[in-house]
Amino acid sequence: GASVVKLQKCLNKTISADLTIDGDYGKKTADAVKSFKVKYKIRNIDGNIYGKAMYKKLKKVLRKKNGGI
């Protein structure tokens, strides 16, 4: 849905994930979430799920890059 589209766009911008923006939380999006967590040392307490810790870090990284989400 719309929240996955936003996530995919953010991942493309922050880690050059090269995701297709389709709103589907499939394998490629899950892998990109995992890559983001590894790169920014986010504890993997919620598996590959996009949780609060990742949201906060993603927001912070985007703010540094271009002023926010």
Side-chain angles (χ1 to χ4, degrees):
S3 59
V4 176
V5 165
K6 189 173 183 178
L7 173 61
Q8 290 169 329
K9 287 179 180 180
C10 291
L11 289 168
N12 282 346
K13 187 170 243 180
T14 57
I15 62 167
S16 302
D18 198 31
L19 296 170
T20 300
I21 308 302
D22 60 6
D24 178 35
Y25 193 95
K27 182 176 176 2
K28 287 185 177 183
T29 301
D31 288 347
V33 166
K34 184 177 179 182
S35 293
F36 183 91
K37 286 182 167 188
V38 168
K39 180 174 182 172
Y40 291 102
K41 297 175 178 77
I42 297 170
R43 287 188 344 179
N44 207 23
I45 57 173
D46 53 4
N48 288 337
I49 299 170
Y50 173 64
K52 285 183 180 183
M54 183 168 165
Y55 172 77
K56 286 180 182 180
K57 187 63 173 183
L58 187 59
K59 191 173 173 182
K60 187 175 183 178
V61 171
L62 284 170
R63 208 178 292 131
K64 284 183 179 179
K65 285 187 176 270
N66 72 347
I69 295 177

